[in-house]
Amino acid sequence: MPKMLFSKVRIYEFKDLIRNKKQPKTLDVLLSRKKQKNNIRCKNFILLRTDYLDAFRSFLQSEFSAENIAFWLACREYKRMTSSGKLSNKAADIYKEFLHPMAQNDVNIDHHTREKIKRSLMKPDLTCFDEAEMHIYSLMEEDSCPRFLKSEAYQNLRNRRTESMWCAEAQLHCFE
């Protein structure tokens, strides 16, 4: 009869180790949810409000990455175009300004995406920049936005908005 390599006690200890190894995955899920909430906060308050967008643009200029927001905004404007004649001109302009190898405001995207966009310029559609736009957006969302939310510029802007809201509320009460 072969010898048993593990006693029952050791098998249970081994099962406990396996259970404990699974627990960090729960923590990872919680951390990713917290990160998602911060990203939603970034999108809603920064990219959709003019005053925050201007502050975010200034912040990116100080970090030498203003081309990211400029590219993202150019892509958003491109998607709103209705004239097909202007579409190809605008696509070519965006490519020359942000994606051409010698572009002055070169954005950080991979070679394959860049080449795919270059090929699509023959017959551009409204989705030709989508992949690059999403990549740049995620770079801003995961890297620049959290730093901006901690920056002095954002804190000052938020404090000014809070003060102006209090002043407006106080004025409403004065006229009642």
Side-chain angles (χ1 to χ4, degrees), residues 150-168:
K150 294 175 186 173
S151 74
E152 187 176 328
Y154 173 75
Q155 298 300 326
N156 290 340
L157 182 61
R158 194 177 77 182
N159 291 339
R160 280 195 309 250
R161 288 196 57 79
T162 304
E163 288 172 10
S164 67
M165 287 172 57
W166 285 344
C167 291

Side-chain angles (χ1 to χ4, degrees), residues 2-176:
K3 282 187 170 180
M4 288 185 66
L5 296 176
F6 296 104
S7 69
K8 287 184 178 182
V9 174
R10 291 190 184 235
I11 289 173
Y12 288 113
E13 289 174 0
F14 184 69
K15 286 181 180 179
D16 286 341
L17 287 173
I18 292 172
R19 270 190 228 117
N20 289 339
K21 188 162 180 104
K22 291 180 181 178
Q23 287 177 350
K25 289 184 180 178
T26 307
L27 180 62
D28 290 340
V29 169
L30 292 174
L31 290 174
S32 68
R33 285 183 187 159
K34 184 177 180 181
K35 188 176 180 181
Q36 287 173 353
K37 287 181 183 177
N38 287 340
N39 292 345
I40 291 168
R41 179 179 174 194
C42 178
K43 178 182 177 187
N44 289 339
F45 288 103
I46 295 174
L47 300 177
L48 299 179
R49 299 183 67 143
T50 308
D51 50 350
Y52 285 104
L53 181 61
D54 291 340
F56 187 53
R57 187 180 290 133
S58 297
F59 175 77
L60 290 176
Q61 284 174 342
S62 72
E63 292 203 333
F64 305 103
S65 58
E67 68 277 355
N68 290 340
I69 192 71
F71 174 73
W72 186 79
L73 291 170
C75 289
R76 302 286 292 181
E77 182 182 326
Y78 176 77
K79 286 182 180 182
R80 287 188 224 118
M81 298 190 74
T82 55
S83 171
S84 61
K86 292 181 180 178
L87 199 65
S88 61
N89 290 338
K90 182 68 174 174
D93 290 345
I94 290 173
Y95 182 81
K96 286 176 191 171
E97 185 176 353
F98 300 105
L99 302 171
H100 190 273
M102 302 301 286
Q104 187 174 5
N105 295 320
D106 189 27
V107 292
N108 185 16
I109 62 168
D110 62 284
H111 175 72
H112 298 291
T113 305
R114 193 179 307 263
E115 288 301 313
K116 184 178 171 184
I117 293 170
K118 186 177 180 180
R119 285 190 304 271
S120 73
L121 289 179
M122 299 297 175
K123 190 175 179 187
D125 63 352
L126 292 176
T127 62
C128 67
F129 294 109
D130 281 356
E131 191 175 341
E133 179 188 0
M134 287 173 34
H135 176 72
I136 294 300
Y137 180 82
S138 67
L139 283 177
M140 291 189 301
E141 191 174 52
E142 295 168 5
D143 187 40
S144 304
C145 186
R147 285 197 314 275
F148 174 67
L149 292 175
K150 294 175 186 173
S151 74
E152 187 176 328
Y154 173 75
Q155 298 300 326
N156 290 340
L157 182 61
R158 194 177 77 182
N159 291 339
R160 280 195 309 250
R161 288 196 57 79
T162 304
E163 288 172 10
S164 67
M165 287 172 57
W166 285 344
C167 291
E169 190 175 304
Q171 287 175 350
L172 287 175
H173 290 296
C174 288
F175 291 113
E176 290 179 347

